[in-house]
Amino acid sequence: DAKTTQPNSMESNEEEPVHLPCNHSTISGTDYIHWYRQLPSQGPEYVIHGLTSNVNNRMASLAIAEDRKSSTLILHRATLRDAAVYYCILSNTGTASKLTFGTGTRLQVTL
Amino acid sequence: ETGVTQTPRHLVMGMTNKKSLKCEQHLGHNAMYWYKQSAKKPLELMFVYSLEERVENNSVPSRFSPECPNSSHLFLHLHTLQPEDSALYLCASSQEIAGGHTGELFFGEGSRLTVL
């Protein structure tokens, strides 16, 4: 699977928007972009995924660059409960079994 | 019932013990997974079961033995483990869609294993 690159850590103030970047310059045309997050002492949870178009759901928005070599996860108003490790993952098959987690971005949210 | 339930949440065992981790999913999914998460390391995929058949085994030592008796239950049998096997073991499930887009993974809260 193609590799992703994320910053090790980011900080945000509560109630501010957060933009978490992910670079995936070797992405193929059939790779989906997935985001998961892992809160302290919990298993990872799905956040959002997309292929080419920007995506929105109740948790976040996913902005995908036109050349698909990068993407940004957008949390519109960060809360303390959003403090977690965020993983950007690519998958080029139709099954979840090919999701390979990297080290992700640790997001700290402060008052 | 939460979607994916793992028991026990914490386990301490000696290197000569035999124990098992249990995972149960209540989501009607057809695929189940074991992941290992060691301190400061990314999640490592250990085993994948799809429709109760093992479809992936990522070079896991034989002291870890998975069992999937049905689509709702997954076990990880442990024997003669080493201290470096101490980690958080996470179970996940998904609905595999052949030829379709990737199914979302639903994780349990994990079983924290300490090997003395």
Side-chain angles (χ1 to χ4, degrees):
Chain A
D1 288 326
K3 187 179 167 134
T4 63
T5 304
Q6 300 177 253
N8 288 334
S9 63
M10 291 184 63
E11 288 187 19
S12 173
N13 295 321
E14 196 177 24
E15 299 193 6
E16 295 288 321
V18 181
H19 290 232
L20 296 162
C22 181
N23 288 318
H24 28 79
S25 58
T26 60
I27 191 170
S28 74
T30 55
D31 279 338
Y32 284 84
I33 303 160
H34 305 262
W35 284 84
Y36 281 74
R37 72 178 186 181
Q38 188 171 16
L39 280 65
S41 302
Q42 294 188 28
E45 65 175 344
Y46 169 83
V47 178
I48 201 165
H49 79 282
L51 183 61
T52 55
S53 304
N54 294 344
V55 184
N56 300 296
N57 66 20
R58 63 173 180 81
M59 289 181 71
S61 295
L62 175 60
I64 301 173
E66 197 168 330
D67 64 4
R68 299 203 337 118
K69 294 183 185 299
S70 65
S71 61
T72 303
L73 180 71
I74 302 166
L75 307 179
H76 296 286
R77 285 180 70 233
T79 70
L80 295 178
R81 288 177 295 178
D82 291 321
V85 178
Y86 287 79
Y87 300 98
C88 170
I89 307 161
L90 302 184
S91 172
N92 63 1
T93 71
T95 65
S97 64
K98 298 302 182 184
L99 293 183
T100 301
F101 287 75
T103 53
T105 297
R106 182 172 298 278
L107 175 66
Q108 292 180 295
V109 181
T110 54
L111 292 171
Chain B
E1 286 284 1
T2 56
V4 180
T5 305
Q6 291 187 242
T7 54
R9 293 293 311 278
H10 300 271
L11 178 63
V12 179
M13 60 187 288
M15 290 190 285
T16 58
N17 291 156
K18 288 185 181 181
K19 297 286 184 184
S20 296
L21 305 180
K22 178 183 175 182
C23 177
E24 185 174 0
Q25 59 98 358
H26 309 276
L27 301 167
H29 288 164
N30 59 11
M32 296 187 77
Y33 311 77
W34 280 116
Y35 280 85
K36 175 184 177 183
Q37 188 170 37
S38 305
K40 311 288 186 190
K41 292 174 74 173
L43 274 77
E44 302 171 51
L45 179 63
M46 299 176 73
F47 301 105
V48 181
Y49 277 83
S50 179
L51 299 173
E52 300 156 41
E53 289 199 16
R54 191 187 313 177
V55 297
E56 193 150 337
N57 176 347
N58 281 353
S59 304
V60 179
S62 60
R63 57 186 183 270
F64 295 91
S65 174
E67 179 190 1
C68 187
N70 56 61
S71 60
S72 300
H73 294 87
L74 184 65
F75 295 88
L76 187 63
H77 303 299
L78 316 168
H79 61 97
T80 59
L81 295 192
Q82 305 297 311
E84 59 264 30
D85 296 322
S86 299
L88 181 68
Y89 289 85
L90 289 157
C91 174
S93 72
S94 72
Q95 184 63 24
E96 300 270 279
I97 308 168
H101 68 78
T102 298
E104 176 185 338
L105 279 173
F106 290 80
F107 283 86
E109 293 189 312
S111 293
R112 173 74 59 189
L113 173 66
T114 302
V115 181
L116 302 176

